[in-house]
Amino acid sequence: MRSRYLATAVAALFLAAACAGPGSGGSPGTSPGGGSPGTSPTGGAGGFDPAAVSGTVVLSGWKASPEEGAALQKVLDGFATKYPNIKVDYQPSEDYDTQMLARFSSKEPPDLFYMDSSKAPEWIDQGVIQELDTWASERGFDTGQFYESYLNAFKGTDGKVYGYPKDGNTLAMAYNTDMLEKAGVKPPTTLDELTAAAEKLTTGGVKGVCLNNGLDRAGAFIYAYGGGILSDDKKSSEFTSDKTKEAVGWYLDFFAKGWGARAKEDMGVDWCGQALGEKKAAIIFEGGWLDPYMKSNFADTKYAWAPMPKGAEQATLGFTVSYSIGVDSKNKDAAWVLLTYLTGPEGMKTWTEGGVANPSRKDVPAVAGKEILVDGAAYARPWSFIPGFSKAIDAFGNAMTAAIEAKSASPDDVIAKTEAAIQQALSGQ
């Protein structure tokens, strides 16, 4: 599995270099270190003493904003105080996926690095990520406080964990408080109430809801409707179920009746957050990234959070990124100490207390105002599928676009084309 990946990676890098030119941006081993981490320091839980570890850890990821960079530095400062014998060499990357592909191929990955939940199935399947369950058991790290929806995003098909979630975000409903009050509409708590609210709130140049054509939003409503995408073991499709078909038809109906609209194509704004800020839509469905955006750009627009409307079940999507260690990482013991500090209660409390991210642990409290987003983790479905599933995501988006532009509420074409792509992914094509 891994040799096939590395050969493919080299070819992909060669092609990327040829096209873009300069400046473009299996199983691990059976030992606890998944390779040759050297002799583990002893003296702590399970015979491992993190205070006895020394060396340099190369940490890599991306920096989404200056605020995020400042928050991470604060956590790293706390780590340096607690573990003065371990130095952290932080190397963020702007072209992260391409650089990680190159480093995996050359067997020189960072010691600790980000792994997005959407990439996790492929990276784990390719055999380049260190399995962590053995270490957690032998070294006494309790993973029971992670929300399952976030931790499960980093499980391989073998049921083992290959990363710990550094934080998490869920979708929730954000609404313009003035618009709803003026229209005499209470924040909808069910899918039926959402339909009625969208109709009543659509007036003049204002749409009741801002939606998009992507599975990363519609998927939340498919689950709420009682439908499915993949089975829980990710070995079969649930996309042709009656409930999934009903959910897709219900979602398309917002566009067909004019109560919902896309941000860029229909309202001329970059995303639904801007539609809320400019008062072009009364209700949107986003995550915690909305708050800093609204504070910086639309501080005068009054809005509030509510849980996603409930259908047959309460559901939302959970988005997360892990800290992970590579099979070929050079300083695994020091990387483990940093990993468990960053994702443990002490490090995560520091990381999330400024509101730049939400905790992925139940024992770390939510920052005031973020409670609804954090509580959603208890019923969120992870945004993580199987290798090759990106084709299904693309197929869904393209078919939805065609249906929306045709003002059709029929789900048939969306279901058929997405299902074909899902079957390709399941068969490994």
Side-chain angles (χ1 to χ4, degrees):
M1 184 74 72
R2 189 174 180 211
S3 59
R4 181 191 70 188
Y5 163 69
L6 293 177
T8 303
V10 171
L13 286 171
F14 180 81
L15 178 61
C19 295
S24 301
S27 297
T30 56
S31 71
S36 303
T39 303
S40 295
T42 59
F48 181 82
D49 183 5
V53 178
S54 62
T56 298
V57 178
V58 176
L59 171 65
S60 187
W62 57 84
K63 192 185 299 183
S65 68
E67 292 80 9
E68 181 176 317
L72 179 57
Q73 187 58 56
K74 187 176 180 181
V75 185
L76 295 179
D77 289 343
F79 177 80
T81 298
K82 188 168 185 176
Y83 297 104
N85 295 327
I86 300 177
K87 178 183 178 183
V88 179
D89 180 7
Y90 178 43
Q91 299 178 4
S93 171
E94 292 185 1
D95 192 10
Y96 185 72
D97 288 347
T98 300
Q99 290 197 11
M100 287 301 294
L101 183 64
R103 298 185 79 163
F104 285 141
S105 179
S106 64
K107 298 187 178 182
E108 295 183 351
D111 298 310
L112 189 67
F113 49 84
Y114 288 8
M115 179 169 68
D116 190 271
S117 62
S118 64
K119 294 287 184 182
E122 294 181 11
W123 288 12
I124 292 169
D125 184 62
Q126 289 155 359
V128 296
I129 307 298
Q130 171 69 49
E131 171 263 320
L132 300 176
D133 284 352
T134 304
W135 275 343
S137 176
E138 294 183 353
R139 299 179 175 186
F141 184 70
D142 180 13
T143 62
Q145 287 298 319
F146 289 115
Y147 288 103
E148 287 187 12
S149 59
Y150 295 139
L151 188 64
N152 287 347
F154 306 108
K155 283 187 176 179
T157 55
D158 56 4
K160 296 180 180 179
V161 173
Y162 289 81
Y164 297 147
K166 72 181 185 71
D167 48 39
N169 239 313
T170 61
L171 294 180
M173 182 176 70
Y175 60 94
N176 184 301
T177 54
D178 288 341
M179 286 183 178
L180 266 67
E181 183 178 354
K182 184 178 180 180
V185 174
K186 293 182 178 180
T189 61
T190 67
L191 296 181
D192 288 342
E193 289 177 3
L194 176 63
T195 302
E199 179 180 9
K200 193 168 184 179
L201 290 164
T202 299
T203 176
V206 177
K207 295 294 183 180
V209 293
C210 179
L211 302 169
N212 70 28
N213 64 326
L215 195 59
D216 60 347
R217 294 297 182 276
F221 295 101
I222 289 174
Y223 289 129
Y225 224 89
I229 298 173
L230 291 178
S231 59
D232 289 342
D233 62 8
K234 299 183 180 181
K235 293 182 179 179
S236 62
S237 172
E238 294 185 347
F239 207 75
T240 58
S241 71
D242 290 343
K243 288 298 184 181
T244 299
K245 291 179 182 179
E246 289 176 22
V248 173
W250 172 87
Y251 194 83
L252 283 170
D253 203 41
F254 283 93
F255 297 100
K257 292 181 176 177
W259 304 335
R262 296 166 295 175
K264 185 171 291 186
E265 298 89 341
D266 303 324
M267 290 187 277
V269 294
D270 290 335
W271 68 299
C272 288
Q274 186 177 354
L276 182 72
E278 293 188 4
K279 302 177 183 177
K280 294 184 176 182
I283 296 174
I284 68 172
F285 305 94
E286 296 292 340
W289 50 84
L290 176 69
D291 290 335
Y293 172 81
M294 293 293 285
K295 183 177 180 180
S296 297
N297 297 280
F298 299 102
D300 294 334
T301 297
K302 296 179 182 179
Y303 72 100
W305 287 104
M308 294 290 285
K310 184 179 180 180
E313 60 182 84
Q314 185 76 59
T316 187
L317 295 177
F319 302 92
T320 183
V321 172
S322 73
Y323 282 115
S324 292
I325 298 171
V327 166
D328 294 313
S329 294
K330 300 299 186 293
N331 303 304
K332 294 183 178 180
D333 284 335
W336 171 259
V337 178
L338 179 58
L339 166 64
T340 52
Y341 179 84
L342 291 171
T343 62
E346 182 179 350
M348 190 170 294
K349 181 177 184 298
T350 303
W351 168 237
T352 60
E353 64 186 1
V356 71
N358 298 324
S360 55
R361 298 180 62 96
K362 302 170 190 175
D363 55 357
V364 176
V367 173
K370 302 282 189 179
E371 294 88 353
I372 287 172
L373 294 162
V374 173
D375 291 346
Y379 50 83
R381 303 293 188 95
W383 182 248
S384 180
F385 298 99
I386 56 175
F389 198 80
S390 59
K391 294 179 181 178
I393 293 172
D394 290 343
F396 180 87
N398 291 336
M400 286 289 286
T401 295
I404 290 167
E405 294 181 352
K407 298 190 180 302
S408 169
S410 171
D412 294 345
D413 194 50
V414 176
I415 297 294
K417 289 182 177 177
T418 306
E419 175 66 11
I422 290 175
Q423 291 302 325
Q424 282 189 327
L426 287 168
S427 66
Q429 296 180 18

